[in-house]
Amino acid sequence: KPFSRNELNRLGITSVQLSELLKEESVHRLRRGVYVLAGTDLSNETQFQAATMRIDGPSAVCLFSALWYYNLTDHIPKKVWLLVPENKHTAHKDIQLLRSSNPRWKIGIEKHKGFAITNLERTLVDSLCAKRNLGPQIGIDALKTALREKKTTLDKVLRMAKSLEVDHRIQNYIEVLA
């Protein structure tokens, strides 16, 4: 699990000691202020945990990062995409924020160890609605893949869209694929 510089301070580990641990490669720096022990699996989950730690307040992995997590895209995200409240900003170049005035934290967001992520259906709905961020084809291709691989159904996707009150925005896609 990634840990922050503040966590090291609380444990009494000084900057000099951290430098030594980094030199001897007992600890690796993931990003500025975020570290892992040597031998830690640097999977998607670790990257998501690290990004979540650096954003103060609520967030959920979404869009490209969630599509990659669910194996619904061939596009490798260069940044971790996070859904955040509309007033959140970041200077971290490896995090892409999707700001929302109404993130609906209780709909289609799952808690994992150290991070939250939009579930499969919400990820598909968000991807179809986020044409400006992803382009129109990414969401369509992801939906086709999820249906072909029987990861979900059109009915589940439509129910999620209705829960999020965006069913009118994806209705055309659903009708074409039905």
Side-chain angles (χ1 to χ4, degrees), residues 58-176:
S59 67
V61 174
C62 67
L63 294 180
F64 264 130
S65 296
L67 288 171
W68 179 255
Y69 180 82
Y70 295 118
N71 296 311
L72 294 175
T73 183
D74 293 332
H75 299 275
I76 300 170
K78 293 180 173 79
K79 300 178 178 191
V80 175
W81 285 69
L82 293 175
L83 174 67
V84 297
E86 69 180 338
N87 61 345
K88 182 61 66 183
H89 297 280
T90 184
H92 302 292
K93 292 183 167 101
D94 54 345
I95 297 175
Q96 179 68 46
L97 299 182
L98 177 66
R99 291 187 284 280
S100 174
S101 60
N102 188 3
R104 300 178 186 242
W105 297 116
K106 297 184 190 292
I107 301 173
I109 294 180
E110 301 174 346
K111 302 280 188 212
H112 289 249
K113 189 175 179 180
F115 67 97
I117 187 169
T118 55
N119 70 14
L120 177 67
E121 288 77 19
R122 175 146 183 192
T123 298
L124 291 167
V125 170
D126 288 350
S127 297
L128 290 169
C129 291
K131 293 180 282 201
R132 190 179 69 214
N133 299 84
L134 302 181
Q137 201 59 43
I138 301 288
I140 295 167
D141 291 345
L143 179 58
K144 286 180 181 176
T145 300
L147 295 172
R148 184 178 60 251
E149 294 177 1
K150 299 188 184 328
K151 293 182 177 189
T152 191
T153 64
L154 278 177
D155 186 51
K156 288 180 181 178
V157 173
L158 189 54
R159 276 189 302 216
M160 177 57 66
K162 285 180 182 177
S163 296
L164 294 168
E165 299 177 4
V166 294
D167 49 311
H168 63 284
R169 294 179 63 193
I170 69 161
Q171 192 65 42
N172 291 341
Y173 303 120
I174 300 296
E175 288 172 4
V176 168

Side-chain angles (χ1 to χ4, degrees), residues 30-68:
L30 286 180
R31 296 178 174 95
R32 185 172 172 249
V34 181
Y35 307 89
V36 292
L37 293 173
T40 299
D41 175 27
L42 297 179
S43 63
N44 285 338
E45 288 87 356
T46 305
Q47 297 299 318
F48 297 163
Q49 289 168 350
T52 299
M53 285 175 62
R54 295 165 68 211
I55 298 295
D56 186 35
S59 67
V61 174
C62 67
L63 294 180
F64 264 130
S65 296
L67 288 171
W68 179 255

Side-chain angles (χ1 to χ4, degrees), residues 3-14 18 21 35:
F3 48 90
S4 68
R5 184 71 190 102
N6 289 340
E7 289 171 306
L8 292 173
N9 287 341
R10 283 193 295 271
L11 293 172
I13 297 175
T14 66
L18 175 59
L21 291 170
Y35 307 89

